[in-house]
Amino acid sequence: MSDGYATGAPPAPGERGERASLVQLYETMALIRAFETRVAALYRDSEIPGFVHTSLGQEAVAAGVCAALTGEDYVATTHRGHGHVLAKGADVDGMMAELFAKETGLCRGKGGSMHVADPSKGILGANAIVGASIPLAVGAGLSSKLLSQGRVAVAFFGEGAVNQGAFHEAVNLAAIWDLPVLFVCENNIYAEFTDSTTMTRVANVAQRTAGGYGIEASSHDGNDVAAVHAATHDAAERCRSGAGPVLLEFATYRWHGHYEGDGQPYKSEQEASEWRSRDPLEQAAARLLADGDADAPHLAAVRADAATRVERATELARAASEPADEEAYQHVFGN
Ligand SMILES: Cc1ncc(C[n+]2csc(CCOP(=O)(O)OP(=O)(O)O)c2C)c(N)n1
Ligand SMILES: [Mg+2]
């Protein structure tokens, strides 16, 4: 077997040039799957306040992209960002406590699912404003370039965000200034309850961006974690070499509704079941077994370990205190 990490531990963001093994990528996907499956149930049971958007079914993008980044690289994400944040190395206990709005949360309970951040890991934050991750990452990329830091800034966003003005302004600036920014579009076909192909004449995001802004852009299978990782690895190297930004479009599918509780009447059963049969974890497992790089008990242990970690995080979050009232005025407006 070729796994270099302890079972269930998320792969630490790799050193430059180093590729993660498929077992490592599987471990990260298993952690995200376990975390969000638990979160969906906790939200249904009213244990988690606010709104929750899961990325179940899209785990390969988070795992494959973040494993190609260093600990110092930046990521800015969306309302559907749990997977990206976990894959970039956020503490699972702190993440769960944040969703519970407890004082032990990564942002002391002030951020929640849609505003969780951890600057110490390069996680600039989730974001409830569609498209807002994009100029944030471009700003981070500009700082990296001006300070000659060699850090890459990743903007995660959905295909719906490509119709926002912010996308076009930010991509154009990154292009003319050759910024080290990786634009990662998770094309899961839907923006809220609407088929995104009805919102544009050019549904292929890579084609639209390459033609419109003259940057390197390509489309890939977003449910194939090895393909996601390889494409991101090459793109990150290109960014670091000073050749300018790259856009990667990953075709994928969200299994659950836009938010937890959305019954998805706008999707056909056939479409949903076709995509379910392309489960990114099962596909990776099949390849690992076929290549002899892992056996079934090992993969079962990876999934069990992820579930145990998430269960522990849940118990800790339940037991943690609510933030004190005075906390509302701390760590905001510069104080
Ligand atoms: C500026 C802005 N407009 C509208 C919304 C409401 N809204 C939240 S998510 C969403 C759709 C996003 O679709 P996409 O970018 O494809 O991401 P996905 O939910 O598919 O991951 C919309 C319209 C918002 N949060 N912000
Ligand atoms: Mg979408």
Side-chain angles (χ1 to χ4, degrees):
M1 270 183 264
S2 58
D3 58 312
Y5 293 92
T7 300
E15 292 304 313
R16 274 171 213 181
E18 191 183 297
R19 291 207 187 199
S21 72
L22 190 52
V23 173
Q24 290 166 347
L25 298 171
Y26 184 82
E27 287 173 356
T28 304
M29 292 197 294
L31 177 65
I32 299 168
R33 175 71 54 89
F35 186 88
E36 289 204 307
T37 302
R38 193 73 185 95
V39 163
L42 291 164
Y43 185 78
R44 181 199 60 210
D45 296 343
S46 305
E47 287 201 63
I48 289 178
F51 259 91
V52 165
H53 308 77
T54 61
S55 63
L56 290 161
Q58 303 185 192
E59 296 89 345
V61 179
V65 168
C66 289
L69 306 177
T70 71
E72 293 206 318
D73 288 338
Y74 296 106
V75 298
T77 178
T78 69
H79 54 287
R80 205 176 299 291
H82 304 150
H84 311 136
V85 172
L86 288 170
K88 190 67 174 54
D91 176 60
V92 180
D93 297 342
M95 181 73 180
M96 186 63 90
E98 188 60 34
L99 267 62
F100 271 76
K102 297 294 184 74
E103 69 169 5
T104 52
L106 285 175
C107 303
R108 301 182 67 81
K110 290 191 179 76
S113 167
M114 274 191 280
H115 297 280
V116 62
D118 184 353
S120 74
K121 300 271 169 55
I123 301 164
L124 299 175
N127 210 308
I129 307 299
V130 171
S133 59
I134 306 167
L136 269 180
V138 170
L142 176 60
S143 80
S144 172
K145 179 164 180 164
L146 292 177
L147 298 170
S148 303
Q149 291 175 322
R151 299 161 95 169
V152 170
V154 174
F156 285 105
F157 52 95
E159 79 294 343
V162 176
N163 296 317
Q164 291 286 104
F167 171 84
H168 300 275
E169 295 176 38
V171 170
N172 191 54
L173 268 186
I176 59 167
W177 289 341
D178 286 329
L179 299 183
V181 181
L182 210 45
F183 298 100
V184 176
C185 178
E186 284 180 273
N187 192 337
N188 61 7
I189 309 176
Y190 293 92
E192 287 192 332
F193 325 114
T194 308
D195 180 338
S196 296
T197 61
T198 65
M199 298 177 182
T200 171
R201 284 194 180 187
V202 187
N204 183 306
V205 173
Q207 195 186 336
R208 188 176 173 190
T209 311
Y213 299 103
I215 69 168
E216 188 80 15
S218 51
S219 304
H220 307 266
D221 179 352
N223 281 20
D224 178 342
V225 72
V228 172
H229 186 52
T232 309
H233 183 274
D234 293 350
E237 286 301 300
R238 185 181 164 89
C239 284
R240 283 189 224 286
S241 75
V246 178
L247 180 137
L248 297 172
E249 175 184 15
F250 294 117
T252 186
Y253 198 75
R254 64 166 156 78
W255 288 359
H256 283 203
H258 169 60
Y259 48 76
E260 288 306 300
D262 162 23
Q264 313 198 76
Y266 49 90
K267 286 182 178 175
S268 77
E269 273 179 33
Q270 190 194 347
E271 177 189 90
S273 73
E274 273 173 19
W275 277 94
R276 283 253 183 191
S277 71
R278 297 175 52 199
D279 180 341
L281 276 97
E282 284 184 13
Q283 291 192 123
R287 189 177 309 174
L288 284 167
L289 296 174
D291 293 349
D293 287 334
D295 56 24
H298 179 74
L299 297 181
V302 167
R303 292 192 300 273
D305 202 62
T308 303
R309 286 183 78 198
V310 169
E311 210 42 53
R312 179 170 169 273
T314 305
E315 290 310 321
L316 289 171
R318 279 183 176 137
S321 305
E322 307 269 342
D325 290 349
E326 311 82 76
E327 266 281 327
Y329 298 102
Q330 285 173 3
H331 308 115
V332 289
F333 306 120
N335 56 359

